[in-house]
Amino acid sequence: GEQRAKGPGNLIQLARAAGPALAAGPDAKGDGYVERMRKIAPDSPVTLAMLGDIATRQKQPREALRYYDRAFERAPSGTLAINRYRAGVAAGVASPEAPLTDWLRRNPGDLLATVALGEHYQARGDHAAAIRQYEAGLKASAQLARLLDKSAA
């Protein structure tokens, strides 16, 4: 019944279908899945992040940033920090790198966020800061490689 249709299992199924459909490009099918997710769980971080992805694709960076911010408040992640940064750059906000620096302060081993921040500094012409970030990324990458080697043994 109605309760089952609104259950978390249905949201997960919709998210699994929506992800590849959205990644494939502009498609009414992917947008339709996300719209159904919005009706079932409008405050779910997964729903909010996918709404941010749609807004990004539609070249609405301020709206995307609002969705990503709301998703991040509910379920912080490195991916959302990067999405918030990219939307902030596109929207022309002051200090678009703030989500990355805040995230990395709490999660210094996040390789993707580290590299994204390095790219920000490089694009801004701050090569010394970019090099520091890339070096931190290399260090994090080496630590990750050691952990993977240990877990494979």
PDB file of all heavy atoms in Angstrom, residues 107-137:
ATOM      1  N   ASN A 107      38.645  16.237   8.024  1.00  0.00           N
ATOM      2  CA  ASN A 107      38.927  14.988   7.303  1.00  0.00           C
ATOM      3  C   ASN A 107      40.167  15.166   6.426  1.00  0.00           C
ATOM      4  O   ASN A 107      40.079  15.153   5.199  1.00  0.00           O
ATOM      5  CB  ASN A 107      37.722  14.603   6.427  1.00  0.00           C
ATOM      6  CG  ASN A 107      36.459  14.453   7.243  1.00  0.00           C
ATOM      7  OD1 ASN A 107      36.227  13.417   7.844  1.00  0.00           O
ATOM      8  ND2 ASN A 107      35.655  15.504   7.285  1.00  0.00           N
ATOM      9  N   PRO A 108      41.337  15.322   7.064  1.00  0.00           N
ATOM     10  CA  PRO A 108      42.539  15.670   6.299  1.00  0.00           C
ATOM     11  C   PRO A 108      42.987  14.586   5.310  1.00  0.00           C
ATOM     12  O   PRO A 108      43.748  14.874   4.398  1.00  0.00           O
ATOM     13  CB  PRO A 108      43.596  15.899   7.379  1.00  0.00           C
ATOM     14  CG  PRO A 108      43.085  15.194   8.582  1.00  0.00           C
ATOM     15  CD  PRO A 108      41.587  15.222   8.494  1.00  0.00           C
ATOM     16  N   GLY A 109      42.500  13.371   5.457  1.00  0.00           N
ATOM     17  CA  GLY A 109      42.917  12.301   4.559  1.00  0.00           C
ATOM     18  C   GLY A 109      42.060  12.152   3.323  1.00  0.00           C
ATOM     19  O   GLY A 109      42.270  11.218   2.547  1.00  0.00           O
ATOM     20  N   ASP A 110      41.107  13.059   3.091  1.00  0.00           N
ATOM     21  CA  ASP A 110      40.218  12.949   1.933  1.00  0.00           C
ATOM     22  C   ASP A 110      40.985  13.379   0.684  1.00  0.00           C
ATOM     23  O   ASP A 110      41.176  14.565   0.426  1.00  0.00           O
ATOM     24  CB  ASP A 110      38.973  13.805   2.127  1.00  0.00           C
ATOM     25  CG  ASP A 110      37.939  13.597   1.037  1.00  0.00           C
ATOM     26  OD1 ASP A 110      38.325  13.490  -0.148  1.00  0.00           O
ATOM     27  OD2 ASP A 110      36.740  13.558   1.359  1.00  0.00           O
ATOM     28  N   LEU A 111      41.399  12.391  -0.090  1.00  0.00           N
ATOM     29  CA  LEU A 111      42.254  12.646  -1.244  1.00  0.00           C
ATOM     30  C   LEU A 111      41.559  13.494  -2.305  1.00  0.00           C
ATOM     31  O   LEU A 111      42.142  14.450  -2.826  1.00  0.00           O
ATOM     32  CB  LEU A 111      42.712  11.310  -1.842  1.00  0.00           C
ATOM     33  CG  LEU A 111      43.617  11.396  -3.065  1.00  0.00           C
ATOM     34  CD1 LEU A 111      44.875  12.190  -2.768  1.00  0.00           C
ATOM     35  CD2 LEU A 111      43.964  10.005  -3.546  1.00  0.00           C
ATOM     36  N   LEU A 112      40.316  13.173  -2.639  1.00  0.00           N
ATOM     37  CA  LEU A 112      39.628  13.918  -3.699  1.00  0.00           C
ATOM     38  C   LEU A 112      39.412  15.383  -3.314  1.00  0.00           C
ATOM     39  O   LEU A 112      39.600  16.277  -4.138  1.00  0.00           O
ATOM     40  CB  LEU A 112      38.298  13.250  -4.046  1.00  0.00           C
ATOM     41  CG  LEU A 112      38.415  11.868  -4.690  1.00  0.00           C
ATOM     42  CD1 LEU A 112      37.026  11.284  -4.937  1.00  0.00           C
ATOM     43  CD2 LEU A 112      39.206  11.923  -5.977  1.00  0.00           C
ATOM     44  N   ALA A 113      39.025  15.626  -2.074  1.00  0.00           N
ATOM     45  CA  ALA A 113      38.824  17.007  -1.624  1.00  0.00           C
ATOM     46  C   ALA A 113      40.158  17.753  -1.573  1.00  0.00           C
ATOM     47  O   ALA A 113      40.227  18.944  -1.898  1.00  0.00           O
ATOM     48  CB  ALA A 113      38.125  17.031  -0.267  1.00  0.00           C
ATOM     49  N   THR A 114      41.209  17.051  -1.190  1.00  0.00           N
ATOM     50  CA  THR A 114      42.552  17.653  -1.149  1.00  0.00           C
ATOM     51  C   THR A 114      42.977  18.106  -2.544  1.00  0.00           C
ATOM     52  O   THR A 114      43.457  19.229  -2.736  1.00  0.00           O
ATOM     53  CB  THR A 114      43.571  16.647  -0.574  1.00  0.00           C
ATOM     54  OG1 THR A 114      43.194  16.332   0.769  1.00  0.00           O
ATOM     55  CG2 THR A 114      44.981  17.202  -0.583  1.00  0.00           C
ATOM     56  N   VAL A 115      42.770  17.240  -3.531  1.00  0.00           N
ATOM     57  CA  VAL A 115      43.135  17.575  -4.909  1.00  0.00           C
ATOM     58  C   VAL A 115      42.249  18.709  -5.431  1.00  0.00           C
ATOM     59  O   VAL A 115      42.741  19.631  -6.103  1.00  0.00           O
ATOM     60  CB  VAL A 115      43.057  16.326  -5.813  1.00  0.00           C
ATOM     61  CG1 VAL A 115      43.210  16.691  -7.276  1.00  0.00           C
ATOM     62  CG2 VAL A 115      44.130  15.322  -5.397  1.00  0.00           C
ATOM     63  N   ALA A 116      40.962  18.677  -5.112  1.00  0.00           N
ATOM     64  CA  ALA A 116      40.057  19.744  -5.555  1.00  0.00           C
ATOM     65  C   ALA A 116      40.498  21.097  -4.999  1.00  0.00           C
ATOM     66  O   ALA A 116      40.478  22.101  -5.714  1.00  0.00           O
ATOM     67  CB  ALA A 116      38.612  19.439  -5.135  1.00  0.00           C
ATOM     68  N   LEU A 117      40.928  21.112  -3.741  1.00  0.00           N
ATOM     69  CA  LEU A 117      41.396  22.370  -3.156  1.00  0.00           C
ATOM     70  C   LEU A 117      42.702  22.814  -3.825  1.00  0.00           C
ATOM     71  O   LEU A 117      42.896  24.003  -4.091  1.00  0.00           O
ATOM     72  CB  LEU A 117      41.568  22.239  -1.643  1.00  0.00           C
ATOM     73  CG  LEU A 117      41.923  23.523  -0.906  1.00  0.00           C
ATOM     74  CD1 LEU A 117      40.890  24.626  -1.141  1.00  0.00           C
ATOM     75  CD2 LEU A 117      42.059  23.240   0.601  1.00  0.00           C
ATOM     76  N   GLY A 118      43.568  21.861  -4.129  1.00  0.00           N
ATOM     77  CA  GLY A 118      44.790  22.196  -4.859  1.00  0.00           C
ATOM     78  C   GLY A 118      44.475  22.800  -6.220  1.00  0.00           C
ATOM     79  O   GLY A 118      45.096  23.788  -6.637  1.00  0.00           O
ATOM     80  N   GLU A 119      43.489  22.237  -6.917  1.00  0.00           N
ATOM     81  CA  GLU A 119      43.076  22.783  -8.212  1.00  0.00           C
ATOM     82  C   GLU A 119      42.536  24.202  -8.058  1.00  0.00           C
ATOM     83  O   GLU A 119      42.774  25.062  -8.912  1.00  0.00           O
ATOM     84  CB  GLU A 119      42.031  21.877  -8.849  1.00  0.00           C
ATOM     85  CG  GLU A 119      42.610  20.555  -9.326  1.00  0.00           C
ATOM     86  CD  GLU A 119      41.544  19.556  -9.760  1.00  0.00           C
ATOM     87  OE1 GLU A 119      40.335  19.812  -9.570  1.00  0.00           O
ATOM     88  OE2 GLU A 119      41.937  18.500 -10.301  1.00  0.00           O
ATOM     89  N   HIS A 120      41.807  24.437  -6.958  1.00  0.00           N
ATOM     90  CA  HIS A 120      41.297  25.794  -6.706  1.00  0.00           C
ATOM     91  C   HIS A 120      42.454  26.784  -6.567  1.00  0.00           C
ATOM     92  O   HIS A 120      42.450  27.851  -7.190  1.00  0.00           O
ATOM     93  CB  HIS A 120      40.435  25.806  -5.432  1.00  0.00           C
ATOM     94  CG  HIS A 120      40.133  27.187  -4.955  1.00  0.00           C
ATOM     95  ND1 HIS A 120      39.174  27.985  -5.548  1.00  0.00           N
ATOM     96  CD2 HIS A 120      40.689  27.932  -3.963  1.00  0.00           C
ATOM     97  CE1 HIS A 120      39.147  29.156  -4.936  1.00  0.00           C
ATOM     98  NE2 HIS A 120      40.048  29.143  -3.977  1.00  0.00           N
ATOM     99  N   TYR A 121      43.436  26.414  -5.741  1.00  0.00           N
ATOM    100  CA  TYR A 121      44.570  27.313  -5.540  1.00  0.00           C
ATOM    101  C   TYR A 121      45.336  27.527  -6.839  1.00  0.00           C
ATOM    102  O   TYR A 121      45.764  28.645  -7.146  1.00  0.00           O
ATOM    103  CB  TYR A 121      45.503  26.774  -4.461  1.00  0.00           C
ATOM    104  CG  TYR A 121      44.933  26.815  -3.063  1.00  0.00           C
ATOM    105  CD1 TYR A 121      45.117  25.755  -2.181  1.00  0.00           C
ATOM    106  CD2 TYR A 121      44.214  27.913  -2.610  1.00  0.00           C
ATOM    107  CE1 TYR A 121      44.603  25.786  -0.896  1.00  0.00           C
ATOM    108  CE2 TYR A 121      43.688  27.957  -1.318  1.00  0.00           C
ATOM    109  CZ  TYR A 121      43.888  26.886  -0.474  1.00  0.00           C
ATOM    110  OH  TYR A 121      43.378  26.919   0.799  1.00  0.00           O
ATOM    111  N   GLN A 122      45.500  26.470  -7.619  1.00  0.00           N
ATOM    112  CA  GLN A 122      46.214  26.581  -8.887  1.00  0.00           C
ATOM    113  C   GLN A 122      45.469  27.518  -9.840  1.00  0.00           C
ATOM    114  O   GLN A 122      46.085  28.383 -10.469  1.00  0.00           O
ATOM    115  CB  GLN A 122      46.375  25.202  -9.512  1.00  0.00           C
ATOM    116  CG  GLN A 122      47.227  25.208 -10.759  1.00  0.00           C
ATOM    117  CD  GLN A 122      47.492  23.811 -11.277  1.00  0.00           C
ATOM    118  OE1 GLN A 122      47.127  22.819 -10.657  1.00  0.00           O
ATOM    119  NE2 GLN A 122      48.134  23.733 -12.426  1.00  0.00           N
ATOM    120  N   ALA A 123      44.164  27.359  -9.939  1.00  0.00           N
ATOM    121  CA  ALA A 123      43.365  28.217 -10.825  1.00  0.00           C
ATOM    122  C   ALA A 123      43.435  29.674 -10.395  1.00  0.00           C
ATOM    123  O   ALA A 123      43.374  30.583 -11.228  1.00  0.00           O
ATOM    124  CB  ALA A 123      41.911  27.738 -10.851  1.00  0.00           C
ATOM    125  N   ARG A 124      43.577  29.884  -9.092  1.00  0.00           N
ATOM    126  CA  ARG A 124      43.653  31.241  -8.545  1.00  0.00           C
ATOM    127  C   ARG A 124      45.057  31.841  -8.708  1.00  0.00           C
ATOM    128  O   ARG A 124      45.269  33.020  -8.457  1.00  0.00           O
ATOM    129  CB  ARG A 124      43.255  31.179  -7.068  1.00  0.00           C
ATOM    130  CG  ARG A 124      42.826  32.486  -6.466  1.00  0.00           C
ATOM    131  CD  ARG A 124      42.292  32.312  -5.081  1.00  0.00           C
ATOM    132  NE  ARG A 124      43.387  31.993  -4.176  1.00  0.00           N
ATOM    133  CZ  ARG A 124      43.237  31.733  -2.890  1.00  0.00           C
ATOM    134  NH1 ARG A 124      42.034  31.720  -2.358  1.00  0.00           N
ATOM    135  NH2 ARG A 124      44.272  31.454  -2.138  1.00  0.00           N
ATOM    136  N   GLY A 125      46.006  30.998  -9.100  1.00  0.00           N
ATOM    137  CA  GLY A 125      47.376  31.466  -9.278  1.00  0.00           C
ATOM    138  C   GLY A 125      48.233  31.368  -8.031  1.00  0.00           C
ATOM    139  O   GLY A 125      49.363  31.845  -8.015  1.00  0.00           O
ATOM    140  N   ASP A 126      47.715  30.752  -6.984  1.00  0.00           N
ATOM    141  CA  ASP A 126      48.469  30.576  -5.739  1.00  0.00           C
ATOM    142  C   ASP A 126      49.186  29.230  -5.815  1.00  0.00           C
ATOM    143  O   ASP A 126      48.745  28.230  -5.265  1.00  0.00           O
ATOM    144  CB  ASP A 126      47.520  30.633  -4.537  1.00  0.00           C
ATOM    145  CG  ASP A 126      48.263  30.669  -3.210  1.00  0.00           C
ATOM    146  OD1 ASP A 126      49.473  30.346  -3.182  1.00  0.00           O
ATOM    147  OD2 ASP A 126      47.611  30.994  -2.190  1.00  0.00           O
ATOM    148  N   HIS A 127      50.298  29.234  -6.537  1.00  0.00           N
ATOM    149  CA  HIS A 127      51.001  27.984  -6.819  1.00  0.00           C
ATOM    150  C   HIS A 127      51.607  27.346  -5.577  1.00  0.00           C
ATOM    151  O   HIS A 127      51.628  26.112  -5.473  1.00  0.00           O
ATOM    152  CB  HIS A 127      52.049  28.203  -7.905  1.00  0.00           C
ATOM    153  CG  HIS A 127      51.434  28.667  -9.185  1.00  0.00           C
ATOM    154  ND1 HIS A 127      50.625  27.872  -9.959  1.00  0.00           N
ATOM    155  CD2 HIS A 127      51.469  29.870  -9.810  1.00  0.00           C
ATOM    156  CE1 HIS A 127      50.192  28.549 -11.008  1.00  0.00           C
ATOM    157  NE2 HIS A 127      50.687  29.778 -10.946  1.00  0.00           N
ATOM    158  N   ALA A 128      52.064  28.150  -4.633  1.00  0.00           N
ATOM    159  CA  ALA A 128      52.642  27.592  -3.405  1.00  0.00           C
ATOM    160  C   ALA A 128      51.575  26.818  -2.628  1.00  0.00           C
ATOM    161  O   ALA A 128      51.825  25.697  -2.162  1.00  0.00           O
ATOM    162  CB  ALA A 128      53.233  28.700  -2.541  1.00  0.00           C
ATOM    163  N   ALA A 129      50.384  27.386  -2.502  1.00  0.00           N
ATOM    164  CA  ALA A 129      49.301  26.693  -1.798  1.00  0.00           C
ATOM    165  C   ALA A 129      48.868  25.451  -2.572  1.00  0.00           C
ATOM    166  O   ALA A 129      48.567  24.413  -1.978  1.00  0.00           O
ATOM    167  CB  ALA A 129      48.111  27.632  -1.585  1.00  0.00           C
ATOM    168  N   ALA A 130      48.849  25.552  -3.903  1.00  0.00           N
ATOM    169  CA  ALA A 130      48.479  24.397  -4.728  1.00  0.00           C
ATOM    170  C   ALA A 130      49.467  23.260  -4.509  1.00  0.00           C
ATOM    171  O   ALA A 130      49.063  22.102  -4.315  1.00  0.00           O
ATOM    172  CB  ALA A 130      48.424  24.789  -6.199  1.00  0.00           C
ATOM    173  N   ILE A 131      50.747  23.581  -4.508  1.00  0.00           N
ATOM    174  CA  ILE A 131      51.775  22.555  -4.301  1.00  0.00           C
ATOM    175  C   ILE A 131      51.618  21.910  -2.936  1.00  0.00           C
ATOM    176  O   ILE A 131      51.706  20.679  -2.803  1.00  0.00           O
ATOM    177  CB  ILE A 131      53.191  23.154  -4.495  1.00  0.00           C
ATOM    178  CG1 ILE A 131      53.409  23.472  -5.980  1.00  0.00           C
ATOM    179  CG2 ILE A 131      54.271  22.219  -3.962  1.00  0.00           C
ATOM    180  CD1 ILE A 131      54.630  24.324  -6.264  1.00  0.00           C
ATOM    181  N   ARG A 132      51.351  22.712  -1.902  1.00  0.00           N
ATOM    182  CA  ARG A 132      51.141  22.145  -0.553  1.00  0.00           C
ATOM    183  C   ARG A 132      49.975  21.156  -0.568  1.00  0.00           C
ATOM    184  O   ARG A 132      50.044  20.086   0.023  1.00  0.00           O
ATOM    185  CB  ARG A 132      50.881  23.253   0.467  1.00  0.00           C
ATOM    186  CG  ARG A 132      52.129  23.980   0.917  1.00  0.00           C
ATOM    187  CD  ARG A 132      51.888  24.844   2.153  1.00  0.00           C
ATOM    188  NE  ARG A 132      50.838  25.825   1.969  1.00  0.00           N
ATOM    189  CZ  ARG A 132      51.010  27.053   1.444  1.00  0.00           C
ATOM    190  NH1 ARG A 132      52.212  27.427   1.052  1.00  0.00           N
ATOM    191  NH2 ARG A 132      50.005  27.882   1.324  1.00  0.00           N
ATOM    192  N   GLN A 133      48.887  21.521  -1.258  1.00  0.00           N
ATOM    193  CA  GLN A 133      47.718  20.633  -1.318  1.00  0.00           C
ATOM    194  C   GLN A 133      48.049  19.361  -2.077  1.00  0.00           C
ATOM    195  O   GLN A 133      47.685  18.271  -1.655  1.00  0.00           O
ATOM    196  CB  GLN A 133      46.535  21.341  -1.975  1.00  0.00           C
ATOM    197  CG  GLN A 133      45.806  22.299  -1.080  1.00  0.00           C
ATOM    198  CD  GLN A 133      45.329  21.669   0.218  1.00  0.00           C
ATOM    199  OE1 GLN A 133      45.684  22.116   1.294  1.00  0.00           O
ATOM    200  NE2 GLN A 133      44.538  20.633   0.120  1.00  0.00           N
ATOM    201  N   TYR A 134      48.728  19.494  -3.210  1.00  0.00           N
ATOM    202  CA  TYR A 134      49.070  18.307  -3.997  1.00  0.00           C
ATOM    203  C   TYR A 134      50.021  17.400  -3.223  1.00  0.00           C
ATOM    204  O   TYR A 134      49.898  16.176  -3.283  1.00  0.00           O
ATOM    205  CB  TYR A 134      49.669  18.703  -5.348  1.00  0.00           C
ATOM    206  CG  TYR A 134      48.681  19.382  -6.275  1.00  0.00           C
ATOM    207  CD1 TYR A 134      49.077  20.439  -7.081  1.00  0.00           C
ATOM    208  CD2 TYR A 134      47.356  18.965  -6.361  1.00  0.00           C
ATOM    209  CE1 TYR A 134      48.183  21.063  -7.943  1.00  0.00           C
ATOM    210  CE2 TYR A 134      46.452  19.587  -7.210  1.00  0.00           C
ATOM    211  CZ  TYR A 134      46.872  20.633  -7.997  1.00  0.00           C
ATOM    212  OH  TYR A 134      45.986  21.242  -8.838  1.00  0.00           O
ATOM    213  N   GLU A 135      50.953  18.003  -2.483  1.00  0.00           N
ATOM    214  CA  GLU A 135      51.856  17.195  -1.659  1.00  0.00           C
ATOM    215  C   GLU A 135      51.080  16.463  -0.563  1.00  0.00           C
ATOM    216  O   GLU A 135      51.348  15.300  -0.275  1.00  0.00           O
ATOM    217  CB  GLU A 135      52.970  18.061  -1.064  1.00  0.00           C
ATOM    218  CG  GLU A 135      54.003  18.469  -2.091  1.00  0.00           C
ATOM    219  CD  GLU A 135      55.050  19.437  -1.558  1.00  0.00           C
ATOM    220  OE1 GLU A 135      54.841  20.043  -0.481  1.00  0.00           O
ATOM    221  OE2 GLU A 135      56.079  19.598  -2.245  1.00  0.00           O
ATOM    222  N   ALA A 136      50.100  17.163   0.028  1.00  0.00           N
ATOM    223  CA  ALA A 136      49.246  16.508   1.033  1.00  0.00           C
ATOM    224  C   ALA A 136      48.462  15.366   0.384  1.00  0.00           C
ATOM    225  O   ALA A 136      48.268  14.301   0.997  1.00  0.00           O
ATOM    226  CB  ALA A 136      48.290  17.523   1.660  1.00  0.00           C
ATOM    227  N   GLY A 137      48.027  15.564  -0.849  1.00  0.00           N
ATOM    228  CA  GLY A 137      47.320  14.518  -1.575  1.00  0.00           C
ATOM    229  C   GLY A 137      48.203  13.308  -1.836  1.00  0.00           C
ATOM    230  O   GLY A 137      47.762  12.167  -1.696  1.00  0.00           O
TER     231      GLY A 137
END
